[in-house]
Amino acid sequence: WRDAEAERRNQPVRRILRDDLLIEIAKRQTADPKRIRAVRGMERGDFSVVGRVWKRMSEDLADDNNPDITDFMGRGDITATYHWDGHEVSALARHNFHTNKGGLQLDYSYPLAGKVSGYVQLFTGYGQSLIDYNYAQRSIGLGLKVAP
């Protein structure tokens, strides 16, 4: 749909629906328009900002594996992304103001060859993974990113 609409309007596909929003919609695995509209963002040229909020669903205390996850992950996050000449820089931040815990992630990708890009990620804080959401971590990641 996005490709056909971009061709019809004679615009780049990311102007129809940004890649980060498309990925976020796919992560939510829903076709419900109300849930899709909950992904909010702003875009200006090559710069975009996307905010997400969530509510943790209560479980029985005996069955709850992570009752304090919102203490570390907060109730939302914000991601800012900037694109230029095949490069991409993004920052994701989340914070719980009651516990003063959260996380900050910085990503940078740069073109290598064709659709292959190099990738660097820096992270500090809580919640880099759901397994270790309650442990403070600092990490550096390096890798490759392949565009579709």
Side-chain angles (χ1 to χ4, degrees):
W1 165 85
R2 184 175 76 152
D3 294 333
E5 186 66 17
E7 187 174 326
R8 186 182 72 74
R9 293 184 188 180
N10 194 26
Q11 293 182 345
V13 290
R14 68 184 181 90
R15 293 283 175 142
I16 305 304
L17 182 63
R18 293 187 327 262
D19 292 340
D20 55 335
L21 289 177
L22 190 63
I23 290 167
E24 184 60 34
I25 290 167
K27 283 181 187 175
R28 292 180 184 226
Q29 297 179 355
T30 183
D32 180 4
K34 290 179 185 175
R35 292 193 55 148
I36 291 172
R37 282 189 215 105
V39 179
R40 296 289 182 214
M42 299 181 334
E43 183 174 307
R44 183 125 181 130
D46 292 328
F47 180 74
S48 66
V49 177
V50 176
R52 302 182 301 173
V53 294
W54 52 79
K55 176 168 177 22
R56 185 167 188 283
M57 306 306 276
S58 299
E59 296 181 64
D60 291 334
L61 194 54
D63 296 331
D64 198 345
N65 294 326
N66 47 12
D68 59 348
I69 194 166
T70 55
D71 292 345
F72 298 91
M73 300 285 289
R75 299 193 184 278
D77 63 23
I78 188 163
T79 303
T81 306
Y82 183 72
H83 301 268
W84 83 98
D85 292 331
H87 298 253
E88 181 180 298
V89 175
S90 68
L92 178 142
R94 63 177 164 264
H95 188 76
N96 184 320
F97 292 99
H98 298 290
T99 61
N100 203 30
K101 294 181 174 145
L104 177 65
Q105 178 177 307
L106 302 173
D107 301 305
Y108 172 61
S109 66
Y110 49 93
L112 291 175
K115 295 185 176 195
V116 178
S117 298
Y119 188 76
V120 178
Q121 181 182 82
L122 306 173
F123 181 87
T124 184
Y126 294 89
Q128 184 177 19
S129 74
L130 289 178
I131 293 172
D132 294 328
Y133 72 89
N134 55 348
Y135 292 101
Q137 298 180 25
R138 286 195 178 124
S139 64
I140 297 173
L142 303 171
L144 297 174
K145 184 167 99 170
V146 180

